[in-house]
Amino acid sequence: MGEARKIWGPGMMFSEELWLENEKKCAVVRKPKQSRKRQELLAVALGVKVGVKGSFLWPPLKLFACSQISSLVRRAALTHNDNHFNYEKTHNFKVHTFRGPHWCEYCANFMWGLIAQGVRCSDCGLNVHKQCSKHVPNDCQPDLKRIKKVYCCDLTTLVKAHNTQRPMVVDICIREIEARGLKSEGLYRVSGFTEHIEDVKMAFDRDGEKADISASIYPDINIITGALKLYFRDLPIPVITYDTYSKFIEAATVQTELLVASLSAITLQPHTNVRPCDLTEIAGTDERLEAVHDVLMMLPPAHYETLRYLMIHLKKVTMNEKDNFMSAENLGIVFGPTLMRPPEDSTLTTLHDMRYQKLIVQILIENEDVLF
């Protein structure tokens, strides 16, 4: 009974210990073969030749495979996410020095050099060659880990990082204002305490959508309106972008030119039957609204949606004008310089365009149901 059990084979006899020892040797032989096969399959899939120096190239090959697979998984997740708002966003590439071997996530070629081998998107972490960055599609999906704050953050970057239609600050502040402040006298015109407004800003930067701006903490609604206006002023690219600024000013000028032409016609023909109310009808002609609408269509989707939502809210504010004394014109004075700024930092241009800025916002509020 103490003897080892015998295992019979075809024409040979092995002890159990000998058979187990033989299996271990076979496993040792099979393992490198399986590993080598995995290397070869991965190399073929990635289009990389391992060659004789496979063992030397395998560690960086695995590193490259991880980066490629993570990139593919990230893009596949975005494609199949039904709740994702497909706003286009360009990558924010900056020259980067990589430690260790790195491959371009666009062309899959090695990044040569010791310093500044390529560029990295500071919003999503995509690593590519500098020359490849010109061909990368506008599919940046910012990583929340890389977004350090809410205020002073690019609008499209923020909404894509949080996967929302609009910035959370806009939604939360407007919801709070409409709940308890629409009839507040001088709404948006009266300023709250600067220190309290800064507290709200820090709350959003620190807690994001969990920031508490309820009446129990900030009873003065002017603090909330001040925080909302500050958010728009702190945007690196205004809601009405620099690219569309001049076109909006031109659209406002169309209205002015129509008024001047009408006044000239009355002056030259004093006995005409044109009444003063006809000037208002001319000022609100389809040409003016079409010009503004055409420029609105040029805005980035996230900017357009934010502006649309804000104008719907400001229209509600004007509907309570008897209580808050805030007309579309008054709101235009407040929000004109807040929502649109000239591309060049010129005091003269700012002063010259101020009336047109007010006019554009006034038009957007009064005609929000037509323009959006």
Side-chain angles (χ1 to χ4, degrees):
M1 295 294 291
E3 295 181 358
R5 184 165 52 90
K6 304 296 183 181
I7 299 178
W8 294 88
M12 293 188 68
M13 183 176 65
F14 293 96
S15 66
E16 186 175 0
E17 289 84 350
L18 185 61
W19 181 77
L20 291 173
E21 185 179 351
N22 186 61
E23 278 296 306
K24 288 179 182 180
K25 291 180 180 179
C26 291
V28 171
V29 174
R30 281 198 299 266
K31 191 173 181 181
K33 288 184 178 180
Q34 291 173 354
S35 178
R36 197 179 308 114
K37 194 167 185 178
R38 284 198 299 268
Q39 294 179 25
E40 292 172 357
L41 287 172
L42 184 57
V44 170
L46 297 174
V48 178
K49 291 183 179 180
V50 176
V52 181
K53 299 180 180 179
S55 59
F56 174 74
L57 290 176
W58 180 236
L61 184 61
K62 285 199 295 185
L63 178 66
F64 170 55
C66 290
S67 65
Q68 289 295 98
I69 291 170
S70 62
S71 177
L72 290 172
V73 169
R74 180 173 67 236
R75 297 189 184 192
L78 294 179
T79 304
H80 292 92
N81 188 356
D82 296 333
N83 297 322
H84 178 69
F85 298 100
N86 293 316
Y87 295 151
E88 276 195 0
K89 182 190 177 308
T90 57
H91 291 272
N92 186 18
F93 287 120
K94 294 181 180 178
V95 177
H96 189 79
T97 298
F98 299 95
R99 295 182 179 180
H102 269 77
W103 280 260
C104 175
E105 292 186 43
Y106 181 76
C107 70
N109 289 323
F110 186 74
M111 291 184 178
W112 298 98
L114 298 176
I115 59 172
Q117 302 98 323
V119 293
R120 168 176 287 177
C121 177
S122 58
D123 295 330
C124 71
L126 184 69
N127 304 317
V128 296
H129 288 113
K130 187 176 181 181
Q131 57 270 31
C132 290
S133 64
K134 302 173 184 177
H135 308 290
V136 174
N138 298 332
D139 60 352
C140 177
Q141 176 58 33
D143 187 352
L144 273 175
K145 296 178 182 178
R146 298 175 181 272
I147 307 299
K148 303 299 182 183
K149 52 188 177 180
V150 173
Y151 279 68
C152 302
C153 178
D154 176 67
L155 195 152
T156 303
T157 300
L158 186 67
V159 298
K160 283 186 73 72
H162 290 273
N163 193 25
T164 57
Q165 283 185 291
R166 298 170 296 273
M168 67 182 75
V169 179
V170 177
D171 280 354
I172 295 173
C173 286
I174 286 180
R175 190 161 52 241
E176 190 69 24
I177 293 165
E178 291 184 353
R180 60 184 174 97
L182 285 179
K183 295 185 178 181
S184 178
E185 184 177 344
L187 189 67
Y188 286 111
R189 179 177 54 82
V190 178
S191 300
F193 288 107
T194 305
E195 292 182 0
H196 293 166
I197 293 173
E198 286 293 328
D199 287 343
V200 174
K201 174 183 176 179
M202 286 189 291
F204 277 114
D205 284 339
R206 181 182 62 251
D207 304 325
E209 59 186 9
K210 296 181 180 179
D212 187 0
I213 58 171
S214 60
S216 59
I217 300 178
Y218 301 103
D220 184 6
I221 196 64
N222 297 313
I223 295 173
I224 310 304
T225 59
L228 181 60
K229 290 187 293 182
L230 179 62
Y231 172 75
F232 288 129
R233 286 198 301 271
D234 281 353
L235 285 173
I237 301 176
V239 176
I240 294 178
T241 60
Y242 295 126
D243 294 337
T244 58
Y245 179 85
S246 60
K247 294 180 177 62
F248 271 107
I249 297 298
E250 289 174 7
T253 308
V254 170
Q255 177 189 17
T256 305
E257 290 175 350
L258 288 171
L259 284 171
V260 171
S262 304
L263 290 170
S264 301
I266 295 174
T267 304
L268 293 174
Q269 300 178 8
H271 301 292
T272 56
N273 295 325
V274 179
R275 296 168 298 171
C277 63
D278 292 334
L279 293 177
T280 306
E281 294 176 4
I282 294 173
T285 55
D286 292 340
E287 287 82 359
R288 178 195 63 187
L289 293 180
E290 285 179 7
V292 174
H293 181 266
D294 290 343
V295 186
L296 280 174
M297 294 298 101
M298 299 178 186
L299 288 174
H303 287 247
Y304 176 89
E305 172 59 27
T306 302
L307 186 62
R308 183 193 68 83
Y309 190 73
L310 177 64
M311 292 304 115
I312 293 174
H313 164 66
L314 294 181
K315 187 66 174 286
K316 294 178 183 178
V317 174
T318 61
M319 292 169 66
N320 292 272
E321 184 181 352
K322 291 182 179 179
D323 298 306
N324 58 37
F325 302 104
M326 292 302 291
S327 63
E329 184 178 1
N330 291 338
L331 290 170
I333 294 172
V334 174
F335 278 94
T338 302
L339 298 177
M340 53 192 305
R341 302 190 296 270
E344 64 280 355
D345 188 12
S346 170
T347 306
L348 186 62
T349 304
T350 303
L351 292 174
H352 177 268
D353 293 347
M354 197 169 291
R355 56 174 177 167
Y356 298 119
Q357 293 171 353
K358 184 262 305 183
L359 193 56
I360 285 296
V361 175
Q362 182 180 344
I363 293 170
L364 293 175
I365 296 172
E366 292 174 342
N367 302 277
E368 59 84 16
D369 55 336
V370 177
L371 293 172
F372 294 97

